[in-house]
Amino acid sequence: MILVTGASGALGSATLDHLHALGAEAVGGTRMPNHAALRRIDFDDANTLHFDGVDTLVMISAGAAEDDVVIARHGRTLQAAERDGVRHIVYTSLTAAGDHLGFALAHRWTEQRIRRGSIPWTILRNGLYAELIADLLSPRDGTITAAFGPHGVAPVVRDDLAMAAAKVATNPLPHTGNIYDLVGAKTITAAHVAQALCVDFQPTSLEHLRASFDGAGMLPFQPGMLVSIHSAIAGGFLEETGTDLEALLERKPMNALDFIHQTLQGTGPIT
Ligand SMILES: NC(=O)c1ccc[n+]([C@@H]2O[C@H](COP(=O)([O-])OP(=O)(O)OC[C@H]3O[C@@H](n4cnc5c(N)ncnc54)[C@H](OP(=O)(O)O)[C@@H]3O)[C@@H](O)[C@H]2O)c1
């Protein structure tokens, strides 16, 4: 049996849907199960971390928190998986190019913990979601503002990452000990998105970006995480494309620029 954690989240729920569509015996784990087919799994509550009967654990990172919180979450979950005899772990991590991002450390800690642990594993190093890039480049008053500099990023549509996770989880053995870098096949810039939407692009500085977060009511870790996405792109660190996703999917990944265009259409004046 396959268990997918984070089953209420966007990636976890899509992975579970793909698993069911592939005919796999799969259940979802989530902090707040709202129907009988879901199990309660909360990485913050050791009492919920029971994996008896689970052959393959698809561990969706729970990364929206400070490093120490995420590390503690992932550490206790892996400990419980080892105790309960899980046979394979598929962990959704972060692209190697994302090492400079503010949320990289907890991912790399988790990878190291998995590699030093006793359960055979596969690590899916997910690129930045096209959904996230669409959100960051959403035009306001007909203008896209970003501190990406002239550089780009190779984003991935989240549903493709979910399909890749589902494919690996249904047949994990050939993927044992493999790390896949699941970045997009094309680099896109803020200017490309502005051109596709027929809106203006106004480059901004990291200083202005930071100032725009003042009084926005963010949690303490959020401004640093967000700024790190812009600064890593502006540093040219996230431009590299890859082919691992296409190989896992056995088809071309969805076109991220088309996806972002469709997502944002209607948010700016179309000329
Ligand atoms: N590559 C990227 O661009 C990118 C962008 C954003 C986030 N991420 C990472 O990818 C993960 C999945 O992305 P998403 O789009 O599905 O995020 P999402 O829709 O915001 O969902 C958040 C996920 O975190 C899980 N979670 C939070 N606290 C948890 C806890 N205490 N125990 C267990 N699970 C917990 C949630 O599980 P339940 O609500 O089901 O319990 C849910 O699956 C995120 O958590 C984050 O680590 C990656």
Side-chain angles (χ1 to χ4, degrees), residues 6-11 30-31 42-44 60-63 127-129 158:
S8 299
L11 183 64
T30 178
R31 286 166 297 172
D42 182 347
F43 297 170
D44 288 329
I60 305 284
S61 63
L128 291 188
Y129 300 156
R158 188 165 36 207

Side-chain angles (χ1 to χ4, degrees), residues 14-240:
T15 303
L16 197 56
D17 287 349
H18 284 305
L19 282 166
H20 288 149
L22 291 169
E25 188 197 348
V27 296
T30 178
R31 286 166 297 172
M32 285 192 277
N34 55 6
H35 58 84
L38 291 172
R39 288 193 191 180
R40 181 157 180 256
I41 298 282
D42 182 347
F43 297 170
D44 288 329
D45 180 356
N47 293 322
T48 71
L49 298 176
H50 295 290
F51 300 110
D52 305 284
V54 175
D55 299 304
T56 300
L57 176 64
V58 180
M59 184 172 158
I60 305 284
S61 63
E66 302 288 354
D67 286 341
D68 55 338
V69 175
V70 180
I71 285 170
R73 282 176 179 167
H74 290 179
R76 72 172 73 84
T77 305
L78 291 166
Q79 199 178 356
E82 285 171 348
R83 178 200 64 211
D84 291 343
V86 169
R87 294 188 191 170
H88 197 105
I89 290 199
V90 179
Y91 173 61
T92 63
S93 187
L94 176 69
T95 171
D99 270 346
H100 299 286
L101 294 166
F103 37 99
L105 189 145
H107 280 296
R108 298 296 174 248
W109 182 92
T110 307
E111 291 185 2
Q112 181 175 267
R113 170 67 183 80
I114 289 171
R115 295 172 73 165
R116 288 179 180 169
S118 59
I119 304 175
W121 51 267
T122 306
I123 290 171
L124 304 178
R125 286 185 161 174
N126 288 349
L128 291 188
Y129 300 156
E131 288 83 348
L132 171 70
I133 300 302
D135 195 40
L136 296 178
L137 297 181
S138 177
R140 312 260 185 265
D141 301 325
T143 301
I144 291 175
T145 307
F148 290 4
H151 291 287
V153 55
V156 192
V157 178
R158 188 165 36 207
D159 199 60
D160 275 347
L161 295 170
M163 179 53 107
K167 284 194 152 213
V168 170
T170 49
N171 184 23
L173 216 59
H175 303 288
T176 303
N178 289 355
I179 298 178
Y180 297 105
D181 207 54
L182 304 182
V183 290
K186 283 195 182 131
T187 302
I188 62 172
T189 64
H192 288 144
V193 175
Q195 194 179 24
L197 288 169
C198 299
V199 299
D200 293 326
F201 169 50
Q202 177 68 56
T204 191
S205 65
L206 291 168
E207 185 186 355
H208 276 99
L209 183 75
R210 275 191 292 273
S212 73
F213 299 149
D214 281 352
M218 292 182 173
L219 293 168
F221 66 88
Q222 287 176 318
M225 272 194 187
L226 273 171
V227 170
S228 77
I229 296 173
H230 288 258
S231 59
I233 293 173
F237 290 106
L238 289 165
E239 294 203 302
E240 204 157 313

